[in-house]
């Protein structure tokens, strides 16, 4: 069960394990040990005939611990979440026959990455499973992913198990961000847990179950029972990978076929380039409601396509990340909503498996001068308000005319009833008008005659005066 110590450092770690079992610093497989009262080392197994086949040994590593809190988002702390998931995984795995399960920590201990890997080596682990929950810098990424070593058998075994794990996480409903490698500046594995595992020849997979800072993933982790669901899922993936069976659970995975992954002869480096192509074409524009259907053609021949985002204002603002509908095809269509009174300038960003993107060509369209449902509703409300105000005003005027005060004597004038105008009445009015006109004419004639008479009387006086002047 336990390897012979090769170095003083391994001996010290082993001594720490022995001393800390009682204190809970390292977990151990109680269930398996109860079935095997005589625990023997690998060397003893080879010497003693008739012993049962060596059980599978796995080590579960709940990420972080102690002062190393891991990711923190809202009320969630990663070191606590990974421990819940790891305990559930261990409990589920121990229901299978032929497997022994250990944990690097069963409490809130702060362990170095090399310590975790050394413990797995000392326990002669066939696999080390490192459990984590993810965060992204811009809080935009979502989905599950597995990180594996980029080297030799560690890559081959890691990819084979990760394929089982990712398939099950997708069945649970999570979006797959894929199985990936990552290198540091020295050309070795970026993640320390993978790097130290390679050094100790222990296959290892780092499982990032989901993102804590994304609404797409929140329904999968927002309760302790859901964290335990992840643990049971991880255990089932291990059982499938190793072909285990369980009478207690009533399952048998002995015929399960893993993905065959050849051992690479070179380092499997990550994709460091943007997608090779990203082009768009507008298929339909509905100016009545602002919907635009776009066809996207994009491809990345190294790591495949993962997300896309779109913009209606030439890249000033982009949508949230959208799932690539079908990773097996390079072309698809989607419908976007363009706001009213905007001249659309549409572009799309296509993202590959390593979150690198390529921007498409830009397509400019005629203005979308349509009214939204909110605008239409506002106009109807305003119209109804005006009509209501007009009715109230008319009713108020009618009340003022028809109602009379109680204490004031008012002569009511009925303005609604009018007698019809007769022909006789019309002739009488015309006669009166004619008499008025005649009287005015006669008055003018008399006035003119009076003026003439006055002039006649004045002329003799003027002549007499002129004669006196001559004399």
């Amino acid at each position: 069960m336990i390897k012979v110590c090769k170095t003083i450092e391994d001996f010290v770690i082993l001594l720490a394990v022995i001393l800390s079992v009682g204190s809970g610093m390292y977990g151990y497989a109680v269930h398996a040990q109860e079935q095997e009262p005589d625990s023997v080392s690998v060397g003893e197994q080879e010497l003693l005939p008739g012993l049962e086949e060596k059980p599978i040994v796995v080590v579960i590593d709940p990420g972080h611990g102690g002062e190393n809190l891991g990711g923190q988002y809202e009320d969630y702390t990663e070191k606590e979440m990974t421990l819940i998931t790891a305990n559930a995984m261990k409990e589920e795995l121990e229901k299978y026959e032929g497997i022994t399960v250990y944990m690097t920590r069963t409490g809130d201990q702060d362990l170095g990455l090399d310590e975790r890997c050394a413990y797995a080596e000392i326990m002669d682990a066939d696999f080390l499973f490192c459990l984590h929950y993810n965060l992204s810098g811009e809080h935009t990424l979502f989905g599950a992913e597995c990180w594996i070593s980029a080297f030799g058998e560690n890559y081959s075994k890691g990819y084979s198990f990760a394929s089982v794990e990712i398939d099950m996480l997708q069945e649970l409903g999570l979006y797959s961000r894929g199985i990936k490698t990552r290198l540091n500046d020295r050309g070795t594995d970026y993640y320390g847990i993978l790097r130290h595992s390679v050094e100790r020849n222990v296959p290892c997979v780092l499982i990032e179950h989901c993102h804590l800072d994304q609404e797409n993933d929140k329904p999968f982790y927002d309760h302790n029972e859901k964290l335990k669901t992840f643990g049971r899922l991880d255990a089932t993936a291990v059982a499938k990978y190793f072909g285990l069976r369980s009478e207690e659970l009533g399952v048998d995975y002995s015929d399960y076929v893993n993905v065959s992954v050849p051992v690479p002869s070179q380092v499997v480096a990550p994709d460091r380039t943007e997608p090779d192509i990203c082009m768009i074409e507008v298929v339909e524009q509905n100016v009545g409601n602002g919907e635009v259907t776009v066809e996207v053609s994009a491809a990345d021949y190294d790591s495949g396509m993962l997300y896309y985002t779109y913009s209606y204002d030439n890249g000033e603002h982009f949508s949230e990340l959208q799932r690539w509908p079908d990773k097996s095809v390079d072309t698809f269509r989607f419908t976007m909503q363009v706001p009213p009174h905007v001249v659309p300038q549409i572009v799309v960003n296509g993202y590959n498996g390593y979150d690198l993107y390529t921007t498409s060509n830009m397509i400019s369209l005629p203005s979308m001068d349509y009214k939204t449902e909110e605008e239409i509703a506002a106009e109807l409300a305003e119209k109804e308000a005006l009509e209501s105000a007009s009715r109230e005003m008319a009713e108020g005027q009618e009340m003022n005319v028809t109602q009379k005060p109680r204490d004031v004597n008012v002569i009511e004038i009925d303005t609604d009833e009018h007698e019809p105008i007769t022909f006789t009445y019309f002739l009488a009015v015309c006669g009166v008008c004619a008499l008025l006109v005649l009287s005015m004419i006669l008055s003018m004639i008399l006035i003119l005659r009076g003026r003439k008479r006055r002039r006649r009387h004045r002329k003799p006086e003027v002549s007499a005066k002129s004669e006196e002047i001559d004399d």
Side-chain angles (χ1 to χ4, degrees), residues 163-205:
S163 298
V164 184
E165 175 78 15
I166 285 293
D167 285 347
M168 294 189 65
L169 288 170
Q170 286 188 101
E171 291 173 6
L172 187 64
L174 283 154
Y175 187 55
S176 171
R177 286 178 44 80
I179 305 167
K180 295 181 277 192
T181 64
R182 185 177 179 182
L183 301 177
N184 56 29
D185 295 338
R186 300 184 300 277
T188 58
D189 288 311
Y190 175 85
Y191 293 104
I193 196 74
L194 298 176
R195 188 169 61 251
H196 294 305
S197 294
V198 169
E199 293 170 357
R200 297 178 179 277
N201 199 28
V202 178
C204 179
V205 170

Side-chain angles (χ1 to χ4, degrees), residues 196-379:
H196 294 305
S197 294
V198 169
E199 293 170 357
R200 297 178 179 277
N201 199 28
V202 178
C204 179
V205 170
L206 191 160
I207 305 170
E208 295 280 8
H209 291 91
C210 63
H211 285 74
L212 303 181
D213 55 348
Q214 239 291 337
E215 289 299 318
N216 285 282
D217 290 355
K218 191 170 185 177
F220 296 95
Y221 71 82
D222 59 359
H223 191 279
N224 282 358
E225 190 58 37
K226 296 180 181 180
L227 301 180
K228 295 177 182 178
T229 297
F230 276 127
R232 289 188 286 268
L233 181 149
D234 298 340
T236 305
V238 173
K240 288 181 177 180
Y241 175 76
F242 285 111
L244 304 178
R245 64 183 176 210
S246 170
E247 290 185 7
E248 181 179 349
L249 298 174
V251 294
D252 185 352
Y253 298 116
S254 57
D255 294 331
Y256 188 86
V257 179
N258 290 309
V259 175
S260 179
V261 183
V263 177
S265 57
Q266 298 179 341
V267 177
V268 184
D271 185 5
R272 300 181 185 276
T273 60
E274 297 81 8
D276 299 276
I277 186 173
C278 185
M279 298 290 293
I280 63 171
E281 179 182 351
V282 172
V283 178
E284 183 180 359
Q285 177 187 15
N286 189 333
V287 296
N289 60 12
E291 291 184 350
V292 177
T293 301
V294 181
E295 183 174 270
V296 182
S297 297
D300 188 292
Y301 303 111
D302 295 318
S303 59
M305 301 303 295
L306 189 60
Y307 305 112
Y308 72 94
T309 60
Y310 56 85
S311 170
Y312 59 80
D313 54 9
N314 197 20
E316 290 293 326
H317 305 88
F318 276 95
S319 69
E320 292 183 351
L321 290 178
Q322 309 293 314
R323 300 185 180 199
W324 196 264
D326 186 348
K327 295 176 184 177
S328 65
V329 299
D330 298 334
T331 301
F332 70 95
R333 293 181 179 182
F334 74 95
T335 299
M336 62 186 294
Q337 182 72 43
V338 178
H341 321 304
V342 168
V343 177
Q345 294 181 307
I346 298 173
V347 293
V348 170
N349 284 341
Y351 290 76
N352 66 11
Y354 282 82
D355 307 318
L356 302 173
Y357 68 88
T358 294
T359 303
S360 73
N361 54 303
M362 188 273 286
I363 296 180
S364 184
L365 299 175
S367 177
M368 301 291 245
D369 290 326
Y370 70 95
K371 294 179 180 179
T372 63
E373 294 181 359
E374 292 78 9
E375 290 175 329
I376 295 172
E379 288 184 357

Side-chain angles (χ1 to χ4, degrees), residues 63-64 69-73 76-83 105 131-135 208 212:
H64 309 288
L69 304 179
Q72 288 184 287
Y73 188 75
Y76 302 96
T77 301
E78 187 180 2
K79 70 169 185 176
E80 299 169 356
M81 300 170 70
T82 57
L83 188 57
R105 68 180 180 95
L131 311 186
H132 283 267
Y133 290 90
N134 217 341
L135 292 169
E208 295 280 8
L212 303 181

